[in-house]
Amino acid sequence: AADGGRKGEAMTEEVFALLAQSCALEEDIKPDSELKELSLDSLSFVEFIVRAEEAFGIEFDDEDLDVGRWKTAGACAEKIEELCRRKEK
């Protein structure tokens, strides 16, 4: 795979680790963790987006840069997987 074989669970864990770095929280991030509960504001969300783009070699669409569009950590992981699949084509 073009993403170095990162799929499913491993990729999700990596996304959650990037989220944790951006939130500066010590709690476990789960798929249903709400971003607002992780105290992820617009600035720290952009930080997360930049880290994710660098880590996965992807680029988010401008409309995806609004933290208000995102509800959960799982939604972020799904979007990143989708962008990785799109990149492979």
Side-chain angles (χ1 to χ4, degrees), residues 20-76:
Q21 289 171 10
S22 299
C23 309
L25 280 186
E26 291 298 318
E27 63 185 90
D28 278 347
I29 296 180
K30 298 176 178 56
D32 61 352
S33 296
E34 293 201 14
L35 299 186
K36 64 178 184 244
E37 290 174 7
L38 300 173
S39 34
L40 201 70
D41 60 16
S42 53
L43 185 64
S44 51
F45 184 70
V46 169
E47 215 175 271
F48 160 71
I49 293 288
V50 169
R51 284 185 167 131
E53 286 182 338
E54 289 173 356
F56 297 103
I58 55 174
E59 197 170 308
F60 282 82
D61 299 324
D62 288 347
E63 64 265 18
D64 292 329
L65 303 181
D66 176 10
V67 70
R69 288 181 57 108
W70 303 85
K71 189 160 175 66
T72 64
C76 292

